[in-house]
Amino acid sequence: MTIKVAVAGATGYAGGEILRLLLGHPKYLSGELEIGALTGNSNAGQHVVTLMPHLPQLADRVIEETTPETLSGHDVVFLGLPHGHSAEIGSQLPEDTLVIDCAADFRLKDKQEWDRFYGGTWAGSWPYGIPEMPGHREELQNAARIAVPGCFPTGATLAVLPAVSAGLIVPDIAVTSITGVSGAGKKAAVPLLGSETMGSLKAYNTAGKHRHTPEMEQNLSEYTDQDVTVSFTPVLAPLPRGILTTAIAPLVDGVTQDVVTKTYQGFYEGEPFIQILPEGQQPQTQHVVGSNLCQIQVEVDERAGKLLMTSALDNLTKGTGGAAVQCMNIALGYEETAGLPQAGVAP
């Protein structure tokens, strides 16, 4: 049986990354997975070679308009659309179609949080696509609807979750994430111009304003009875892609570095896309570019009585497109690592 896949929003950064990964997927190479409709909005009618020349296998394909009619008839539909558009399209697709949404429309379980940070109609929540969160891999198996996590919550959740789950910290967490400009999407905007970003760093949506804050709190709250608070500060850096996250929280009395190290190693044992780095080695975005890997380091700050948790990932791969393909693999019963590189691009 051949699985037919469509990508809505194919010319955006998320859609382009999904296509890059699908073109190297063993099921595509064997002919068992077919790339069907590629859709867009303002780019409809244009050829892929003009918009995404880094995908030569699809050069002659034409971008179609994003409509339920175009997307229906596919076994898998990836939605790489702006927030607020996925719910309308997703509701019109057949129930037996695997729909994987890269926007925020189905991530939040709390309507009040949705109203506060996004607004508009709350569409509910779908199974949440961080397989490394205990219990979530099982929810994704045979799922027909999946919400891909935000890139910031992915890095923060993976860095902090073992400490919260094991009760190593007081879950009053300060998170700072330094991100490349591709995280804002492909839209034209003055603050994202090269002349505005090169040689400069800028914090934005500070002091609880960023939309990914409630997603982080939601994820971590699943694994503790304590109230979880996250103070999140995103920082824009002159990078094409990558997120470096640091998280700091008060350490519970008596917790040592040895306990922390063993906890993290045990928590992520067997996870193909998590690498706990050796003592003294810090995660770097350059080591995960193009890969679906998340590197993590965790350190006890004895003087301050805090735990420092650091992660690095590629926001377009493990943070978006790679996560989407990983979820597809799980839902369809494919090898979870299929088509997903663990090795980064260096130098």
Side-chain angles (χ1 to χ4, degrees):
M1 175 181 175
T2 300
I3 298 294
K4 193 173 183 180
V5 178
V7 180
T11 62
Y13 288 139
E17 185 73 353
I18 290 169
L19 289 171
R20 179 182 76 88
L21 296 169
L22 289 179
L23 288 169
H25 198 288
K27 295 294 184 180
Y28 173 79
L29 298 175
S30 70
E32 297 172 80
L33 186 150
E34 175 187 347
I35 298 176
L38 308 179
T39 77
N41 185 14
S42 60
N43 293 321
Q46 298 187 55
H47 284 84
V48 169
V49 68
T50 303
L51 302 168
M52 298 181 288
H54 67 293
L55 303 177
Q57 301 98 314
L58 303 172
D60 295 333
R61 300 286 295 275
V62 176
I63 302 299
E64 304 177 60
E65 290 189 14
T66 301
T67 67
E69 292 74 23
T70 301
L71 297 173
S72 294
H74 294 80
D75 301 291
V76 181
V77 175
F78 291 100
L79 300 178
L81 306 173
H83 303 314
H85 293 266
S86 300
E88 181 179 356
I89 291 289
S91 66
Q92 299 179 67
L93 295 176
E95 293 183 2
D96 60 351
T97 300
L98 172 57
V99 182
I100 301 176
D101 181 30
C102 295
D105 293 36
F106 299 99
R107 294 174 188 162
L108 295 182
K109 300 177 182 179
D110 189 326
K111 181 181 182 299
Q112 291 183 337
E113 295 284 42
W114 173 267
D115 292 342
R116 177 183 174 187
F117 286 89
Y118 291 94
T121 302
W122 178 63
S125 62
W126 288 354
Y128 186 79
I130 297 184
E132 294 83 4
M133 292 173 63
H136 282 250
R137 184 172 279 111
E138 292 74 16
E139 292 180 1
L140 298 173
Q141 293 171 353
N142 300 313
R145 299 290 189 270
I146 294 173
V148 176
C151 52
F152 285 132
T154 298
T157 299
L158 293 174
V160 178
L161 182 55
V164 168
S165 179
L168 305 182
I169 59 173
V170 177
D172 180 13
I173 307 155
V175 175
T176 301
S177 293
I178 302 171
T179 182
V181 294
S182 62
K186 216 172 187 177
K187 61 182 179 294
V190 170
L192 301 177
L193 293 173
S195 57
E196 300 289 334
T197 57
M198 288 189 295
S200 181
L201 295 171
K202 180 182 73 172
Y204 65 99
N205 288 341
T206 54
K209 301 183 188 70
H210 198 281
R211 290 172 166 182
H212 286 175
T213 302
E215 194 177 336
M216 295 179 191
E217 293 182 342
Q218 173 180 283
N219 292 353
L220 298 173
S221 293
E222 284 189 36
Y223 303 95
T224 179
D225 294 330
Q226 300 183 63
D227 291 334
V228 175
T229 58
V230 172
S231 176
F232 176 48
T233 304
V235 178
L236 184 65
L239 306 168
R241 54 204 291 169
I243 295 177
L244 180 72
T245 294
T246 63
I248 300 173
L251 196 65
V252 170
D253 289 345
V255 175
T256 64
Q257 180 67 57
D258 185 59
V259 168
V260 169
T261 300
K262 289 180 179 178
T263 297
Y264 271 71
Q265 290 174 342
F267 193 93
Y268 286 127
E269 184 178 5
E271 289 293 348
F273 299 118
I274 304 292
Q275 182 184 21
I276 307 300
L277 294 177
E279 182 179 352
Q281 185 174 350
Q282 284 294 327
Q284 297 185 50
T285 56
Q286 67 172 331
H287 296 154
V288 295
V289 170
S291 84
N292 203 53
L293 188 69
C294 178
Q295 291 187 334
I296 296 174
Q297 180 60 271
V298 59
E299 299 172 276
V300 169
D301 184 339
E302 294 182 357
R303 183 173 182 276
K306 301 288 180 65
L307 187 63
L308 171 62
M309 300 150 280
T310 307
S311 69
L313 53 75
D314 186 326
N315 59 293
L316 295 181
T317 315
K318 183 56 174 169
T320 309
V325 173
Q326 186 177 354
C327 288
M328 179 197 75
N329 287 341
I330 294 170
L332 295 180
Y334 294 164
E335 185 71 29
E336 186 171 334
T337 57
L340 296 170
Q342 293 169 287
V345 177

